[in-house]
Amino acid sequence: MVVYLVGAGPGDPDLITLKAVKALKKANVVIYDRLANNEILKYAENADLIYVGKKAGEHYKKQDEINQILIDQGKKHQNVVRLKGGDPFVFGRGGEEMLALLEEGICVEFIPGVTSAIGVPTSSGLPVTHRGIATSLTIVTGHEDPTKPNKQVKWDFKADTIIILMGIGLLEENTKEIMKYKDPKTPVCVIENGTSPDQRIITGTLEDITQNHINTPALVIVGKVVDVFKESLLKKAKLEKVEGK
Ligand SMILES: C[S@@+](CC[C@H](N)C(=O)[O-])C[C@H]1O[C@@H](n2cnc3c(N)ncnc32)[C@H](O)[C@@H]1O
């Protein structure tokens, strides 16, 4: 009787860890979200599959209901996998699920995943830190729970790089807030459907990035590291020209 909280990575099925594959192979049941690439489920050869994913603005199952499903399955089966997109503890509500399971006396084990916050920029060749340019980074939600009595996100971050998850719906409001503390010309990069064949990259600045139509899932990177990325694209294009690609 153990529930594994497992990260599925940001989308590309090859970005799952070996440890996650091993857990899926021995699972009796897998409870999974929308963001986890469905191809990953092929490893769960002997498991029943339970979908509990949520879509933006459309809550298929409430968190309490998901916790209850985990508890029920955890009590019934030897090996349960709770599979989540990216890393289970980065805006994945993995902490709440962990506490709910422990409260019921169910053992929990943790298998980290490649978080989209870092894995998506890295897969695109965008370094989130860079010597002499960015020595710190902040990962923040762009959509704080509207039912919270007090907002925790103030947007006055000191970090050189800001990475915003769930930040597309309120991009205009959030960039306006950031511009109270950072130069409006600060470079911004949006990566849509990162690590998937549909990946799209849009660059701009804090003051003009909202002029683009952006599809979700997408994340937003704010800071001078975006210029490093652009420089690398130029170098890559030059190289490809020389190689005649
Ligand atoms: C609820 S959070 C979950 C994050 C996840 N636990 C992780 O570590 O990546 C979902 C947000 O992650 C970001 N995201 C997840 N997968 C992505 C992808 N493949 N490309 C771009 N952004 C992604 C988006 O900002 C999306 O709104």
Side-chain angles (χ1 to χ4, degrees), residues 10 35 85-87 90-92 115-117 120 165-166 191 193-194 217-219:
L35 279 182
D87 183 276
V90 180
F91 299 122
T115 176
S116 64
V120 165
L165 300 193
M166 297 169 280
I191 309 179
N193 286 305
L219 54 80

Side-chain angles (χ1 to χ4, degrees), residues 220-237:
V220 183
I221 302 132
V222 179
K224 288 186 183 149
V225 286
V226 174
D227 284 339
V228 178
F229 169 62
K230 287 202 226 155
E231 189 186 333
S232 80
L233 290 185
L234 289 176
K235 285 187 194 296
K236 216 169 135 192

